Amino acid sequence: MFSSIALSEPLETLRSVFGFPEFRPHQREIVDELLAGRDAFVLMPTGGGKSLCYQIPAMHREGVGIVVSPLISLMKDQVDALRANGVRAEFYNSSLGAEESRRVLRALHARELDLLYVAPERLMSEGFLERLSGEAIALFAIDEAHCVSQWGHDFRPEYVQLGALRKHFPEVPMVALTATADPQTRSDILEQLGLRQAKVFVAGFDRPNIRYLVQEKTKPFNQLVDCLERWKGESAIVYCLSRKRVEEVAQKLRLAGWSAAAYHAGLPSAQRSRVQEDFLRDDVRIVVATVAFGMGIDKPNVRAVVHYDLPKHLEGYYQETGRAGRDGLESEAVLLYGLSDAVVARQLVGQNANAEQRRIESHKLDAMVGFAEALTCRRRVLLGYFGEALDADCGNCDRCLKPVELYDATDDAYRALMAVYEVRQRAGVRLVIDVLRGAETDQVRRLGHHRLPTYGQGADRSTEHWASVIRQLIHHGYLVQDVAKFGVLKLTPKTRPILHKEQGLQLAVPQERIARRRSKRKPTADHAADDPLFQALRAVRKEIADAAGVPPYVVFGDATLKEMAARKPRTLESMLEVSGVGLHKLKKYGDRFLEAIVRNDRTGG
Ligand code: ADP
Ligand code: ZN
């Protein structure tokens, strides 16, 4: 036992320092592996509890645990959280001033640190490696290890240098951790980092507390607001593809009275840090962002993640949605999927000059579209992509909650395909729908389409209905969209039997109607938000956090406060039984929370 506060047994440290009663699956084995001085490779979903896997062994082994992390904000959060538990942690990166840097290095050489978080380029600088060579090192932990691989979706050149660590420190155990890695990336990570003997731990990727919903994008802003209404007063992230859209959506939300801020790489860095900080501290509830946002966000109480546009790959999508509900409480991921999204995305992929890259990207996009268009359990599709099979449908996605209703679409399909045929396979979706619905637009007149037999033959159905039918026809291979030619619709060999009325066809009832019907129902989510004691505890937490200049969850997570509100402990001993309450925090905050519980009881709350 070398840390100032670690106990003789990892389990004891878990309980007394971190306040958790038990290890989660795999955590104990990984800890033991590192304690024995061996390497490990950890593939665990976001929120799975990767951090403890190296934090505890770092506290139990001699020397300092060096943690490599790609983002500065991430380091600061982790260090804040560790220090709130009484662990001696620091970070060392370019955000520190000269004075601060010297202080951290002094602490390192005085052997006063359990954990040191370092940016990869700092760590691999000659000066720093030299410093380390004189020190006892408990372990190296490479967080977000997929950044080392060109196969991954987030390659970072500065990570490549980490390959040399093994040579410099052959004796020190190393653990690589990531939440996203397909088999190719996985073996690449092992190779690049020289982890040849490493035991591989793959934890289940399922995040059952996240409800996966995909909605046809019809009126995206209203759909977004619908979702936010379900999670009023809670934190949410909205992802958009372009900076322009980010600004637009954030602005509209603010005008509608929501607490929202924009975040993208084009904003001054001071502003970005402020947004991030405000979000972490619950001062801003909603962040509208490009994918630039989030890798540094380990906020456990994000309740909803909305994708306003189609992401480029399932890896990114999974990682972004994984930012919801890291505390294990009920949360929601909503994907708004528009008919043109896939077309635009394919055009972008097509522009990549590198054929190999184009092949990888196009493969990844196919999987993304397949998820968005799936008629079966979303989670099965998602986990299947990561090589994990579910035993049963999940029961917590839109497909499970409201199975697809099929209808006899033979006639709809006939009319739609006929319209495509009559415009001589030279029109995109919108024009075909205009023809079907008999729209009186300049374009229709100019092209003489108002004289076609199918003109107005589909006026009995809404635009959304036809969009859905056409999309399903594409999905099932009865139509293809020519990406190179602005998404022009073309018939396929499969089309023939339908045009000749030799074959019937079942399609899903267009979703828009289902969505409208459903949104009338009251949301069923159980919001502890109604519990006055929970609210009182939250208020106490916010006061403490603001006074200490840290995010509220660093004091206690929502799950801990909920359990506290349910158990209503009256003594410090019984408060210690609440998951998430360790000795250090008990001493620091216990009385304040006890007081709030007693007070709330008196007021009859
Ligand atoms: P990851 O790095 O894998 O995304 P974290 O290490 O940040 O996940 O852990 C996610 C959440 O789970 C944190 O709030 C953490 O405190 C909590 N957690 C981790 N291990 C346990 C455990 N054994 N028992 C209870 N909560 C845990
Ligand atoms: Zn499901």
Side-chain angles (χ1 to χ4, degrees), residues 378-418:
R378 306 278 181 197
R379 206 176 303 266
R380 276 185 186 254
V381 178
L382 194 55
L383 296 180
Y385 179 75
F386 293 108
E388 190 177 323
L390 272 186
D391 294 334
D393 283 355
C394 78
N396 196 23
C397 74
D398 54 343
R399 288 304 185 225
C400 285
L401 293 166
K402 176 83 199 169
V404 174
E405 279 174 54
L406 296 177
Y407 79 110
D408 181 355
T410 310
D411 179 56
D412 280 357
Y414 175 80
R415 286 187 285 174
L417 295 173
M418 207 59 193

Side-chain angles (χ1 to χ4, degrees), residues 33-249:
E33 200 67 9
L34 290 166
L35 283 179
R38 290 188 289 265
D39 292 350
F41 179 68
V42 177
L43 193 60
M44 212 185 253
T46 311
K50 287 188 283 300
S51 325
L52 288 180
C53 298
Y54 54 82
Q55 286 166 351
I56 290 182
M59 293 162 67
H60 278 255
R61 279 176 65 87
E62 189 189 353
V64 59
I66 303 287
V67 186
V68 180
S69 174
L71 282 185
I72 288 170
S73 55
L74 197 88
M75 295 186 201
K76 183 170 178 319
D77 287 354
Q78 294 251 5
V79 167
D80 281 346
L82 283 166
R83 293 169 72 144
N85 280 324
V87 181
R88 304 173 307 175
E90 295 286 354
F91 60 85
Y92 186 66
N93 61 34
S94 58
S95 76
L96 293 184
E99 183 55 37
E100 283 274 272
S101 301
R102 271 197 296 278
R103 187 182 57 75
V104 171
L105 293 178
R106 260 199 314 272
L108 170 71
H109 293 307
R111 315 212 160 172
E112 287 167 1
L113 296 181
D114 298 320
L115 284 141
L116 179 61
Y117 287 70
V118 194
E121 61 279 7
R122 276 273 162 126
L123 171 61
M124 300 314 288
S125 70
E126 224 163 278
F128 196 77
L129 287 176
E130 211 151 282
R131 280 179 182 285
L132 278 188
S133 64
E135 295 303 329
I137 300 173
L139 55 82
F140 287 106
I142 316 294
D143 207 1
E144 310 288 354
H146 58 276
C147 294
V148 79
S149 169
Q150 308 228 30
W151 271 102
H153 56 91
D154 194 20
F155 174 61
R156 286 164 188 260
E158 66 272 22
Y159 256 64
V160 174
Q161 309 163 35
L162 294 173
L165 267 184
R166 196 18 101 232
K167 266 201 276 4
H168 288 289
F169 304 94
E171 304 299 318
V172 180
M174 193 187 306
V175 56
L177 311 101
T178 175
T180 58
D182 51 77
Q184 247 151 345
T185 314
R186 203 182 299 176
S187 55
D188 203 22
I189 294 171
L190 292 170
E191 179 76 36
Q192 298 279 337
L193 293 176
L195 295 176
R196 284 187 198 96
Q197 307 293 322
K199 193 158 172 189
V200 176
F201 297 88
V202 182
F205 265 70
D206 194 8
R207 300 279 311 282
N209 61 313
I210 301 177
R211 173 168 296 181
Y212 279 93
L213 304 173
V214 181
Q215 297 177 357
E216 260 188 71
K217 196 195 271 187
T218 49
K219 300 197 170 65
F221 188 74
N222 297 355
Q223 290 170 296
L224 167 62
V225 168
D226 273 354
C227 167
L228 296 176
E229 291 278 356
R230 287 196 285 276
W231 301 102
K232 240 187 177 142
E234 305 278 356
S235 300
I237 305 175
V238 182
Y239 284 107
C240 305
L241 274 190
S242 71
R243 294 175 184 183
K244 187 164 152 272
R245 179 111 79 204
V246 164
E247 305 261 1
E248 224 172 75
V249 173

Side-chain angles (χ1 to χ4, degrees), residues 14 20 22-24 27 45-52 298 300 326 579:
L14 178 77
F20 297 133
E22 297 300 334
F23 279 109
R24 287 188 181 159
Q27 280 181 331
T46 311
K50 287 188 283 300
S51 325
L52 288 180
D298 271 0
R326 293 177 61 126
S579 175

Side-chain angles (χ1 to χ4, degrees), residues 339-372:
L339 191 52
S340 54
D341 285 359
V343 180
V344 173
R346 274 192 218 290
Q347 265 160 358
L348 287 177
V349 169
Q351 281 162 14
N352 195 327
N354 179 328
E356 175 65 3
Q357 283 292 322
R358 208 162 54 228
R359 199 180 59 76
I360 296 175
E361 284 176 22
S362 143
H363 167 75
K364 291 190 188 253
L365 181 60
D366 286 344
M368 186 68 232
V369 170
F371 170 82

Side-chain angles (χ1 to χ4, degrees), residues 573-584:
E573 291 85 71
S574 53
M575 178 160 289
L576 202 50
E577 283 164 23
V578 175
S579 175
V581 182
L583 282 172
H584 193 76

